[in-house]
Amino acid sequence: MSMHNIRFDFVCQRHVPLYEHLCNQYLERSEFNISIGAESEPQTSKIRYFIEAFAPQAQLESLADEIASDFLLSVWLLDTHIQRIEQHSGQRKPFNIKPLHSGLPLNFCQHCQPKFGDNQHPSFGNINLQCHHCMGHEKLSRDEKSLTQTDIAAMANRLLSHKSLPLPILGITLWLTPPAAILSSTIQPSTISQNADEQLTNSSQTNASMTKTIKYQRPRILVCNPNSLNSHFIVNDSQVLALSSIEKPLLRVRPSSEHPSLLAPLYDIQFAENRLLVILTEVLRQKGINWLHVTSDIEPHTSQEALLNKPLRLANINQHWLPITTLSDGSIPLPTNVTCLHDEHHYQDDQHTFKVQSTKTDINWQVSDNSAKSSTSASASPLTLPSVLASSCAEDSSTITNDITTSLCALNAAVLRCDPNKNHHKAQFVKHAAVLYFSQQNACQIVTLDSQSNPELFFQLPTLPTSGYEICHSLSESPQKSLLDKFKQLFPAEYNQLLDLHIQADDGALSQLMAVATLIIGAYPVETAQRVTVTELADKFIALAMSHHGNNAPRIDFPLTKGAAHRSLNWCKTLGTLMSFKLAGETNLAKLAFAFHDSFADYLSHWVEHLDQNIGVKQLVIAGSEFANPVLTERVQLRIGKNFPLVVNPLLDLDGVNIAIGGLYLKQRRR
């Protein structure tokens, strides 16, 4: 009987607590002479988990089947290998897993979910079913533990009869049809839960008074029947795998073309992420329900677990998934390639506060929700950029805020790497680098660091005037006047729509530009009486661009203006180009929306090449929540990524924790 040494590798983008837990479990299998290990790659931050086993061929084949079954797909898993080795290099002591990690225990796994979640199994509906593999029964709140199969069936019936089902223990409400809260953004979450039916009836009365103050929320969908996914949403293989992963993330996708009931331009979709939803969605699937709408509610009865376990919202960058904003506490090893200058730092956006601390070995962060008071008032954070509204076509750069702190933080955080074998004796700072920081919360900028680590603002996207009337006035005062006059004459309905547009101070600059572009090309139905928001219009524009087939598109102008301090964008010319295509009879709106993205990425490419000639760009960072837009990310990757490999930090997010951590590396604090 021949014996063999075999090694099973799992290459991951970041730590996966489940894999560490499983390695520890396999270490107890004495019949295979097992050793385990975890190796990090400093340049990429990848982590390679491995299990080594020594046994006869037949036993190793059996072991391979078990490992394939147990190592459930993580969204952070990049690759797997099985190879024959000469000798073991791993350890025979278990990994030290941090207690209370949000990734452990799992809510359910492949051992228990087919039992409590399959309507054909005798244990169906037993939310308390014990599972020694994932220990999911230990993750239930007290309220969840008390639920019987009868209770959950009654919940499903209530949803079917009332069209809505508040679940305060999860902090959400489920809806059969699009709730008024999504479509008009007029219902306060606390009222939804208390009296959903009355609220739906009265929602139309509150539209007029509330629409101006509450932002549009992208609709969120809980998929009850994963087998029906492709008939309702446009998803690719990597998105399906991500949705099915143990992290159960929310992904931004568009509905199938001409869908009869999914009418929003984009949706955030998710599979059931906990035991209660697994059972409930299975009951509803049997009754022919393929998906549900979800709204988030925070009220006194919401459990602490529900407040902490917010869904992971992901964007795809460089073929890697990254959180848009990390909403859970965490840590990374202390990077060794750049010198940390501060012990602690914090960053606050309009919803969350991110606090970070550095130690000799780690950087730790905590995320907290801002109170209602602080989220509606001006932020007191030194890193929250003021919104300064331009009143013209940004010819005068004094109309734009010139604070580059946030962009520098994003740049610093993205280049951080950890190599415990390298100890620098002199201070190390980032040099020859640039960042494309496009955010919905902060100024959209291109900032550079030269050979002496001196920062400079190269470009800032202007914010538009606050009303459509002012936008049209600016266009009429510019060389685009003749185009505007023709547009007003030939497309009066679209022109009036543009006049009615209202832009909030906290709408991101790029989203503002896309929102106006949506109205100019006539992509939003003119018969809609309700005032539409920048977010919804931008979503419509992105969804149109996503639907375009092919890479050929007209060229949209994005001309630079040179102010006293930095360059900006002559947005009047950009919008004038779109008007000219509309006036020339271009009816393919998807092509125009795609052309906007592709042309912008092409202009960015030229600007980066210019910077490279001046300072030598050795690291080009992309960061900010606007890169959750898949078309922007794809075009930037194609237009720029071939000549300048795009840098992100695979251990962090795009816009949140990364800004707070980057502040630890600022040479000076800015006020």
Side-chain angles (χ1 to χ4, degrees):
M1 183 184 299
S2 59
M3 306 284 281
H4 302 280
N5 272 319
I6 295 292
R7 171 168 152 150
F8 303 87
D9 285 326
F10 297 87
V11 183
C12 301
Q13 183 177 321
R14 53 176 74 188
H15 281 288
V16 180
L18 172 68
Y19 292 1
E20 296 176 5
H21 169 71
L22 289 170
C23 284
N24 288 352
Q25 284 193 331
Y26 275 93
L27 195 59
E28 299 171 4
R29 303 280 293 274
S30 57
E31 71 271 27
F32 292 108
N33 189 17
I34 282 177
S35 55
I36 61 173
E39 302 168 343
S40 60
E41 299 177 10
Q43 293 304 313
T44 61
S45 298
K46 292 178 184 175
I47 296 162
R48 182 185 298 267
Y49 295 108
F50 63 86
I51 296 176
E52 298 165 324
F54 182 64
Q57 178 80 21
Q59 282 187 297
L60 288 173
E61 289 175 1
S62 172
L63 179 67
D65 291 339
E66 285 188 64
I67 289 176
S69 171
D70 284 344
F71 276 72
L72 298 178
L73 180 67
S74 167
V75 81
W76 311 127
L77 179 65
L78 301 175
D79 202 1
T80 59
H81 304 287
I82 301 178
Q83 58 183 336
R84 184 171 294 179
I85 56 174
E86 292 299 320
Q87 59 186 29
H88 287 207
S89 60
Q91 63 188 33
R92 286 184 166 80
K93 62 177 182 179
F95 292 130
N96 182 21
I97 302 175
K98 291 183 179 178
L100 302 178
H101 193 287
S102 60
L104 282 174
L106 292 182
N107 289 295
F108 52 84
C109 70
Q110 82 283 13
H111 294 284
C112 57
Q113 191 269 341
K115 299 175 183 174
F116 72 79
D118 183 346
N119 68 81
Q120 298 298 312
H121 197 278
S123 296
F124 175 60
N126 180 7
I127 197 171
N128 290 293
L129 184 75
Q130 295 199 3
C131 181
H132 71 275
H133 295 277
C134 67
M135 310 300 286
H137 56 283
E138 293 186 358
K139 205 164 184 176
L140 297 170
S141 66
R142 183 185 302 173
D143 289 329
E144 287 172 291
K145 287 178 181 177
S146 68
L147 294 173
T148 65
Q149 181 184 357
T150 306
D151 294 331
I152 299 173
M155 288 180 179
N157 290 331
R158 152 122 200 226
L159 175 60
L160 293 171
S161 60
H162 289 67
K163 310 300 183 193
S164 68
L165 176 69
L167 292 174
I169 57 177
L170 299 181
I172 60 174
T173 296
L174 303 178
W175 308 76
L176 271 188
T177 54
I182 285 178
L183 294 180
S184 65
S185 306
T186 59
I187 304 176
Q188 295 291 351
S190 57
T191 10
I192 292 176
S193 312
Q194 290 165 10
N195 199 337
D197 301 325
E198 180 184 340
Q199 200 62 47
L200 277 169
T201 308
N202 296 337
S203 64
S204 59
Q205 300 167 10
T206 61
N207 266 1
S209 61
M210 298 290 286
T211 304
K212 294 180 183 178
T213 57
I214 298 180
K215 292 177 73 70
Y216 166 86
Q217 297 292 313
R218 184 176 301 109
R220 177 176 161 190
I221 293 283
L222 173 64
V223 177
C224 300
N225 184 2
N227 292 330
S228 71
L229 186 67
N230 285 305
S231 59
H232 300 294
F233 297 97
I234 308 295
V235 288
N236 57 38
D237 290 345
S238 66
Q239 289 173 317
V240 174
L241 289 174
L243 289 167
S244 308
S245 69
I246 56 176
E247 288 80 11
K248 297 293 181 288
L250 276 172
L251 298 186
R252 188 177 307 179
V253 302
R254 65 186 181 95
S256 301
S257 300
E258 308 300 325
H259 197 285
S261 54
L262 293 170
L263 305 179
L266 295 175
Y267 288 86
D268 287 330
I269 67 171
Q270 185 183 28
F271 289 173
E273 61 175 329
N274 56 58
R275 289 186 171 206
L276 172 54
L277 291 181
V278 166
I279 299 168
L280 190 56
T281 53
E282 172 66 0
V283 173
L284 292 165
R285 185 194 66 79
Q286 285 180 271
K287 298 177 183 293
I289 306 299
N290 288 320
W291 76 86
L292 298 168
H293 294 270
V294 183
T295 51
S296 297
D297 315 326
I298 302 301
E299 57 171 68
H301 300 295
T302 305
S303 69
Q304 192 63 24
E305 290 88 349
L307 290 172
L308 291 174
N309 295 326
K310 293 181 179 175
L312 183 68
R313 294 174 186 267
L314 296 181
N316 199 298
I317 314 281
N318 279 2
Q319 285 77 54
H320 289 166
W321 292 106
L322 280 183
I324 299 168
T325 300
T326 298
L327 298 179
S328 57
D329 298 349
S331 68
I332 60 170
L334 184 70
T336 54
N337 64 327
V338 184
T339 301
C340 189
L341 299 174
H342 307 285
D343 295 331
E344 59 182 50
H345 192 245
H346 84 277
Y347 162 68
Q348 182 176 308
D349 63 20
D350 58 353
Q351 290 182 300
H352 302 95
T353 298
F354 307 87
K355 295 182 180 179
V356 298
Q357 290 183 310
S358 63
T359 68
K360 290 183 178 180
T361 58
D362 298 286
I363 293 177
N364 302 293
W365 66 80
Q366 293 84 40
V367 184
S368 58
D369 276 312
N370 299 337
S371 65
K373 180 180 179 182
S374 66
S375 64
T376 53
S377 64
S379 170
S381 166
L383 273 183
T384 301
L385 303 182
S387 290
V388 179
L389 298 172
S391 58
S392 69
C393 292
E395 298 291 342
D396 179 7
S397 64
S398 65
T399 58
I400 304 177
T401 171
N402 192 14
D403 190 333
I404 60 174
T405 304
T406 311
S407 296
L408 279 177
C409 288
L411 172 50
N412 286 335
V415 301
L416 297 177
R417 297 293 184 268
C418 184
D419 185 351
N421 299 318
K422 286 187 178 179
N423 292 309
H424 298 289
H425 298 294
K426 63 177 184 177
Q428 301 286 314
F429 301 107
V430 184
K431 302 173 182 177
H432 298 292
V435 60
L436 308 179
Y437 178 68
F438 296 124
S439 173
Q440 291 168 318
Q441 289 84 28
N442 302 311
C444 296
Q445 299 175 330
I446 302 176
V447 173
T448 62
L449 288 170
D450 63 14
S451 60
Q452 304 300 312
S453 298
N454 294 320
E456 184 178 353
L457 175 59
F458 171 78
F459 168 82
Q460 180 164 314
L461 200 61
T463 50
L464 299 185
T466 54
S467 73
Y469 176 82
E470 292 174 85
I471 290 170
C472 290
H473 178 72
S474 295
L475 286 165
S476 67
E477 296 284 305
S478 77
Q480 316 305 314
K481 182 181 187 311
S482 61
L483 281 171
L484 181 69
D485 290 343
K486 291 178 186 174
F487 182 80
K488 178 179 178 180
Q489 182 181 355
L490 288 175
F491 302 104
E494 285 84 350
Y495 178 78
N496 287 331
Q497 259 191 324
L498 184 55
L499 286 179
D500 287 342
L501 180 65
H502 181 74
I503 292 177
Q504 302 285 347
D506 57 353
D507 287 324
L510 188 55
S511 293
Q512 292 175 15
L513 194 59
M514 288 194 291
V516 178
T518 307
L519 296 180
I520 285 175
I521 67 174
Y524 200 83
V526 291
E527 63 272 12
T528 305
Q530 168 193 333
R531 173 172 278 174
V532 69
T533 65
V534 164
T535 306
E536 187 176 4
L537 287 171
D539 271 9
K540 178 68 176 178
F541 198 69
I542 293 167
L544 270 175
M546 291 169 73
S547 69
H548 177 68
H549 300 294
N551 290 317
N552 297 325
R555 188 166 180 81
I556 310 297
D557 289 335
F558 287 86
L560 287 177
T561 63
K562 184 70 174 81
H566 62 272
R567 294 155 192 82
S568 187
L569 178 72
N570 180 351
W571 55 266
C572 287
K573 187 73 167 77
T574 304
L575 297 179
T577 311
L578 286 166
M579 281 185 190
S580 66
F581 281 114
K582 180 74 173 171
L583 290 166
E586 178 59 72
T587 56
N588 188 336
L589 305 188
K591 182 194 286 187
L592 289 178
F594 176 82
F596 178 100
H597 286 82
D598 186 55
S599 298
F600 184 49
D602 193 37
Y603 274 88
L604 288 174
S605 176
H606 290 304
W607 301 341
V608 172
E609 287 173 10
H610 170 79
L611 291 174
D612 184 43
Q613 291 170 3
N614 288 345
I615 66 163
V617 178
K618 295 181 180 176
Q619 299 184 95
L620 180 62
V621 168
I622 59 171
S625 54
E626 290 286 11
F627 282 105
N629 172 350
V631 187
L632 176 65
T633 305
E634 178 200 41
R635 300 324 292 174
V636 165
Q637 175 75 42
L638 287 170
R639 290 287 190 180
I640 310 176
K642 292 175 184 175
N643 299 323
F644 301 91
L646 305 178
V647 178
V648 294
N649 192 325
L651 303 181
L652 298 177
D653 54 9
L654 281 174
D655 216 347
V657 170
N658 66 327
I659 307 298
I661 286 179
L664 297 173
Y665 295 82
L666 286 177
K667 283 192 172 182
Q668 62 182 19
R669 302 262 185 193
R670 293 173 180 263
R671 294 199 176 274

